[in-house]
Amino acid sequence: MEQQKDFWFRRLHSLMGVIPVSVFLAFHLFVNSTATLGAERYNESVAGIAGLPFLKIIEFLFIFLPLLYHGVYGMYIAFTSGYNAGRYTWFRNQMFVWHRISGVITFIFVVWHLWTTRFSGNAANFDMVAAIVENPVQFWFMIIGVVASAFHLANGLWGFLIHWGVTVGPRSQKISAYAMGGIWLILSAVGVSALLAFKNTLA
Amino acid sequence: MSEQKRIHLIVERQNDNNSSSYTEEFKVPYRSGMNVIAALMEIQRNPKNTKGENVAPVAWESNCLEEICGACMMVINGKPRQACTALIDNLEQPIKLQPARTFPVVRDLVVDRSRMFDALKRVKAWVPIDGTYDLGPGPRMAERDRQWAYELSKCFTCGACVEACPNVNEKTSFIGPFAISQVRLFNTHPTGAMHSHERIEALMGEGGIHECGNSQNCVQVCPKNIPLTTSIAAMNGQVNRYALTSWLRK
């Protein structure tokens, strides 16, 4: 029998993108938006998460490993894909390109984000994030990172529904595209609202 | 004669697979109702480029001339399509003709589409009925399924979908959208369904269905309007179901 490892790697990549990576991102952006309720409320939710049992194991198995796999394998996909949106300008082909561009942006952003927060050696709290977004370059990089990752999640979900044979016909795929557009806007708004909250309190 | 309307053609040419490509321009006399093949025949009749040099006539492939064989697929004004149904009156001039470079170029507009035949062989895109005795009539097919399966059977392996797919490139081994659609066709056929698992296994193999990145160019360029993306999504469902449950039965 021929090799089927590529099939499993791809399907695992697709599955991990949704469970747990997308679920984590939605949860993460939602928790961050408690910053809009004030520094105290934000610090309370951070403390709530920090108080969970087996946190290190959960973090490693359900966030770090899947994210690493999805990211690294995604880079491989992005750099082995062909790009012909210049010749074939149809909407879906452009989305195909944007999915890969947003993936690369998200990858770079997440590495930087982990470096400046989780592995920065500083305690995770409101002031730490506020100090990061105080720098306008870092603030705008975070905005781009949030919007790009929200796009990658929404468009990825659209592809996931096809890769798992859920949205089969063109009509259902179109409806799902509109729904995913909505998810992109909502997630971006939630993420950006938190960043604005971190920025505004310092000013 | 000098006032006669002429068609301006820009052809991307190449002597053989190893030589480098060059473009050559031609102006051929116009007749009403002409298609690209008729224009290429005019070049063949009088192989002179716009500089007035005598050149080797442009080579191309065609057979049926009624969009039923798929042989004359080439890139016309940037899009892969059949030259026979590309009517001159509907094309913007100058008309740019290129070979479908996703395939090895044999000469000029002639390409070698063996990889498509190899892909069909790999996914066993046929219904095995040969035996040593009369197997009798096959099972009946529901009319509801026959109607859409008939649409899939219109595929004539022209390669337009393979040419337009960004994931068919030198870095991947993707077999192409048409082969996935053919698996759906033969897995739906009541006799073909008896070997459905073999085709599904092939789609899980190297360059199989997982290489699809949903750019959906295939469905846009298919000259027979075959719902290729519907076939791919439907096969994704079949393949995943098989992949996730078959090991439980072992």
Side-chain angles (χ1 to χ4, degrees):
Chain A
M1 197 170 63
E2 343 175 43
Q3 63 101 344
Q4 296 182 337
K5 68 177 194 325
D6 288 349
F7 172 82
W8 289 105
F9 284 155
R10 279 280 190 148
R11 288 298 183 252
L12 188 63
H13 173 80
S14 173
L15 184 66
M16 294 258 141
V18 176
I19 305 162
V21 175
S22 288
V23 174
F24 166 72
L25 178 59
F27 172 76
H28 182 48
L29 291 175
F30 185 64
V31 170
N32 288 352
S33 67
T34 53
T36 59
L37 305 173
E40 244 167 70
R41 291 291 300 275
Y42 177 79
N43 287 338
E44 275 168 30
S45 30
V46 170
I49 294 168
L52 290 176
F54 311 112
L55 187 61
K56 282 257 155 66
I57 296 168
I58 293 171
E59 210 182 22
F60 185 75
L61 280 186
F62 297 100
I63 302 173
F64 187 73
L65 271 190
L67 198 57
L68 185 73
Y69 176 75
H70 189 81
V72 171
Y73 196 73
M75 286 300 110
Y76 167 75
I77 293 174
F79 289 100
T80 52
S81 290
Y83 296 93
N84 57 18
R87 229 172 111 193
Y88 308 109
T89 54
W90 296 299
F91 176 74
R92 282 293 15 142
N93 196 31
Q94 292 192 27
M95 289 299 109
F96 173 90
V97 177
W98 281 110
H99 192 67
R100 281 144 185 80
I101 293 174
S102 64
V104 173
I105 293 174
T106 305
F107 185 85
I108 296 166
F109 172 73
V110 168
V111 171
W112 174 82
H113 184 51
L114 286 173
W115 185 258
T116 52
T117 55
R118 179 67 180 79
F119 300 109
S120 67
N122 302 322
N125 58 38
F126 190 93
D127 292 340
M128 178 195 78
V129 189
I132 293 170
V133 297
E134 198 186 352
N135 178 329
V137 176
Q138 295 185 354
F139 172 72
W140 282 106
F141 186 47
M142 290 199 84
I143 296 273
I144 292 168
V146 164
V147 173
S149 52
F151 174 84
H152 196 80
L153 184 156
N155 197 56
L157 217 48
W158 178 85
F160 177 86
L161 291 178
I162 294 175
H163 282 140
W164 294 84
V166 179
T167 49
V168 174
R171 188 168 161 271
S172 67
Q173 290 175 6
K174 197 164 195 173
I175 292 169
S176 122
Y178 282 115
M180 295 315 160
I183 287 180
W184 177 34
L185 293 179
I186 291 167
L187 275 182
S188 296
V190 171
V192 169
S193 74
L195 286 171
L196 289 174
F198 285 117
K199 180 131 183 107
N200 292 338
T201 26
L202 264 194
Chain B
M1 279 301 276
S2 59
E3 295 102 65
Q4 197 188 3
K5 207 165 135 192
R6 284 183 175 266
I7 304 158
H8 188 183
L9 296 160
I10 302 174
V11 187
E12 194 174 285
R13 307 193 60 179
Q14 192 168 324
N15 286 339
D16 55 60
N17 190 28
N18 300 317
S19 56
S20 51
S21 68
Y22 60 99
T23 57
E24 201 150 60
E25 304 196 14
F26 297 91
K27 290 211 164 139
V28 300
Y30 170 84
R31 276 177 284 122
S32 73
M34 265 178 125
N35 58 9
V36 164
I37 291 187
L40 288 168
M41 284 172 162
E42 284 297 332
I43 297 177
Q44 204 174 38
R45 201 163 289 140
N46 181 22
K48 233 178 212 156
N49 64 20
T50 46
K51 293 178 204 155
E53 297 162 341
N54 283 315
V55 294
V58 177
W60 81 93
E61 262 191 315
S62 62
N63 273 311
C64 74
L65 305 180
E66 53 179 1
E67 204 177 66
I68 221 73
C69 77
C72 65
M73 192 276 294
M74 58 183 75
V75 179
I76 301 170
N77 283 350
K79 297 280 185 310
R81 55 182 298 187
Q82 312 304 307
C84 60
T85 47
L87 301 179
I88 300 293
D89 291 335
N90 301 338
L91 291 171
E92 200 178 303
Q93 288 197 40
I95 298 163
K96 195 151 196 230
L97 304 182
Q98 295 164 294
R101 291 205 171 270
T102 201
F103 303 105
V105 175
V106 177
R107 183 181 170 86
D108 295 340
L109 302 169
V110 181
V111 294
D112 177 4
R113 278 173 289 199
S114 311
R115 57 164 294 168
M116 295 186 79
F117 187 44
D118 293 340
L120 291 176
K121 284 189 278 189
R122 260 184 63 193
V123 300
K124 299 187 184 1
W126 58 77
V127 172
I129 50 164
D130 287 343
T132 51
Y133 60 96
D134 183 2
L135 295 170
R140 281 180 60 82
M141 184 171 194
E143 174 59 15
R144 194 185 57 174
D145 293 331
R146 191 214 45 90
Q147 284 187 4
W148 63 256
Y150 179 67
E151 296 304 316
L152 305 193
S153 75
K154 288 179 180 172
C155 176
F156 49 34
T157 353
C158 71
C161 60
V162 185
E163 168 70 12
C165 178
N167 272 5
V168 174
N169 62 51
E170 62 286 353
K171 285 177 243 156
T172 70
S173 48
F174 187 32
I175 51 173
F178 73 101
I180 298 168
S181 188
Q182 288 301 296
V183 170
R184 184 172 173 230
L185 171 65
F186 288 104
N187 277 10
T188 301
H189 189 285
T191 312
M194 294 172 186
H195 297 261
S196 62
H197 62 286
E198 291 177 21
R199 299 189 196 92
I200 286 175
E201 289 271 357
L203 284 188
M204 291 165 68
E206 197 183 347
I209 193 165
H210 48 279
E211 297 283 346
C212 169
N214 294 321
S215 80
Q216 304 205 333
N217 287 349
C218 53
V219 78
Q220 300 274 3
V221 297
C222 178
K224 304 315 281 183
N225 295 319
I226 296 168
L228 289 164
T229 51
T230 307
S231 284
I232 292 170
M235 287 316 299
N236 270 325
Q238 275 189 39
V239 172
N240 288 5
R241 211 170 306 126
Y242 175 85
L244 293 174
T245 60
S246 64
W247 64 277
L248 294 170
R249 290 184 232 110
K250 275 174 188 162

